[in-house]
């Protein structure tokens, strides 16, 4: 069960069908803090001209009901709700995102020892999942200026250091967040060693939240991690931009790599689970002479 369900329960629309859980990011802080309306709005104003009219408001009624500080940032078509708790985030959720992340042990230890956390939920009108994530990340960076340690994406099983996301003078943060490799924060890249299985499985989490499949690769060793990270991100970006779809039996190429696409085998389904499509990529051997 994700953070939104734990907080609010499963929501049903008036007509009866279940409403999709909104996209979300989470932040961990080393100590307790308060939502500073002026600081958050001011940070957003400085990120990009399109945020010049951004505002942030605290909801006193919701804060009392939730036992946490609740506020919402709004600009244009976007809305991002922030729920700030002066306590640790559930350890299972933290570990899910921190353990497989690709940064140092010292920051991971600081993240696990955090004393406050914030949950960010998309609450705007934009339909494009990437633009929703960009809006969430903009508010996350505004809060990162208050000392956040890491940004988490529970649905993607991943996290990223918060402070490096704070832009330098003149840097276009909106463009930076739009062009982040998808497997940096919006889709998770996880390495798994399965008992009794040689090599290392590498896979994504969270692709279906962006209307994309999850991908997996059975690597011989950790040495393939960088190339596989780039392969996954490149193929997912191609699918996102083109609207193309993968099917089992297809082949695909990224830069100089050619891969075959298949569905998980029966014995792989336990660790290659996904709420949407999951495809396993395998090396595509070049055709021999005369073929």
């Amino acid at each position: 069960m994700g953070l939104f369900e734990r907080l609010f329960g499963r929501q049903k629309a008036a007509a009866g069908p279940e409403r999709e859980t909104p996209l979300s990011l989470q932040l961990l802080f080393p100590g307790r803090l308060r939502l500073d309306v002026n600081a958050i709005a001011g940070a957003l104003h400085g990120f990009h001209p399109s945020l010049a009219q951004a505002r942030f408001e605290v909801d006193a009624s919701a804060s009392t009901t939730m036992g946490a500080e609740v506020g919402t940032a709004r600009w244009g078509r976007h809305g991002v709700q922030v729920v700030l708790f002066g306590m640790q985030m559930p350890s299972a959720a933290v570990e899910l995102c921190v353990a497989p992340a690709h940064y140092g042990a010292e920051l991971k230890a600081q993240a696990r020892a955090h004393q406050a956390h914030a949950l960010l939920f998309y609450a705007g009108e934009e339909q494009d999942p990437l633009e929703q994530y960009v809006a969430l990340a903009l508010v996350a960076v505004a809060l990162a200026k208050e000392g956040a340690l890491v940004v988490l994406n529970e649905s993607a099983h991943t996290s990223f250091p918060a402070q490096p996301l704070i832009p330098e003078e003149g840097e276009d943060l909106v463009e930076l967040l739009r062009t982040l490799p998808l497997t940096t924060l919006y889709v998770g890249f996880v390495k798994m060693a399965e008992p009794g299985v040689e090599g290392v499985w590498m896979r994504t989490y969270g692709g279906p939240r962006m209307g994309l499949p999850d991908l997996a690769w059975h690597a011989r060793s950790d040495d393939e991690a960088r190339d596989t990270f780039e392969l996954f991100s490149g193929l997912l970006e191609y699918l996102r931009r083109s609207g193309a779809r993968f099917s089992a039996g297809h082949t695909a190429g990224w830069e100089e790599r050619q891969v075959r696409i298949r569905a998980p085998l029966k014995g792989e389904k336990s660790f290659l689970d996904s709420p949407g499509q999951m495809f396993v990529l395998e090396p595509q051997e070049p055709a021999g002479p005369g073929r």
Side-chain angles (χ1 to χ4, degrees):
M1 182 179 290
L3 292 166
F4 186 83
E5 293 90 339
R6 290 200 295 270
L7 275 172
F8 305 111
R10 298 298 291 180
Q11 303 293 312
K12 292 183 180 294
E18 193 173 79
R19 189 173 66 195
E20 185 178 5
T21 304
L23 293 185
S24 175
L25 294 176
Q26 306 84 43
L27 287 159
L28 304 181
F29 297 89
R32 296 185 178 187
L33 69 156
R34 303 294 300 273
L35 291 179
D36 187 323
V37 172
N38 293 328
I40 295 170
L44 291 170
H45 296 164
F47 289 157
H48 193 271
S50 64
L51 285 89
Q53 301 303 314
R55 62 189 188 278
F56 186 83
E57 299 174 345
V58 171
D59 187 330
S61 176
S63 297
T64 299
T65 301
M66 296 281 296
E69 285 195 87
V70 180
T72 303
R74 295 195 181 278
W75 68 94
R77 293 170 53 83
H78 294 300
V80 174
Q81 185 181 57
V82 179
V83 186
L84 177 65
F85 292 91
M87 64 182 71
Q88 289 196 329
M89 186 172 163
S91 59
V94 172
E95 201 62 20
L96 182 77
C97 300
V98 170
H102 308 287
Y103 48 84
E106 181 178 353
L107 182 55
K108 289 185 177 184
Q110 293 173 5
R112 291 178 173 116
H114 71 284
Q115 296 300 308
H117 70 283
L119 313 180
L120 280 57
F121 301 105
Y122 188 77
E125 301 172 3
E126 177 60 57
Q127 297 301 305
D128 183 347
L130 177 64
E131 292 301 315
Q132 290 188 24
Y133 267 133
V134 169
L136 287 164
L138 285 166
V139 177
V141 177
L143 287 165
K145 287 194 165 189
E146 301 300 303
L149 296 164
V150 295
V151 185
L152 283 65
N153 184 341
E154 188 188 19
S155 67
H157 295 205
T158 196
S159 57
F160 192 81
Q163 296 305 306
L165 291 173
I166 297 174
E168 297 179 357
E169 185 71 27
E171 188 173 18
D172 186 339
L173 181 61
V174 172
E175 183 64 16
L176 183 151
L177 294 172
R178 280 180 180 150
T179 56
L180 272 181
L182 294 180
T183 43
T184 300
L185 182 61
Y186 310 140
V187 178
F189 175 76
V190 176
K191 297 183 293 183
M192 305 180 301
E194 290 301 310
V197 178
E198 293 185 3
V200 181
W201 276 97
M202 302 177 185
R203 61 158 294 177
T204 67
Y205 284 93
R209 296 307 314 272
M210 296 195 69
L212 299 168
D214 278 320
L215 303 177
W217 177 267
H218 191 191
R220 289 166 294 185
S221 71
D222 279 345
D223 293 342
E224 297 181 40
R226 182 183 181 88
D227 287 345
T228 305
F229 177 96
E230 293 176 354
L231 174 68
F232 286 172
S233 199
L235 289 177
L236 291 174
E237 183 64 26
Y238 161 73
L239 294 176
R240 189 190 73 80
R241 289 181 178 273
S242 69
R245 295 290 182 266
F246 283 164
S247 294
H250 284 183
T251 60
W254 176 252
E255 295 184 344
E256 297 183 0
R257 297 181 71 177
Q258 297 292 318
V259 296
R260 289 192 309 270
I261 300 166
R262 66 167 174 84
L265 302 176
K266 183 177 180 179
E268 299 166 350
K269 291 182 178 179
S270 62
F271 56 89
L272 296 183
D273 61 314
S274 174
Q277 290 183 307
M278 163 61 82
F279 293 112
V280 178
L281 309 181
E282 296 181 326
Q284 171 68 30
E285 300 299 333
R291 296 180 63 183

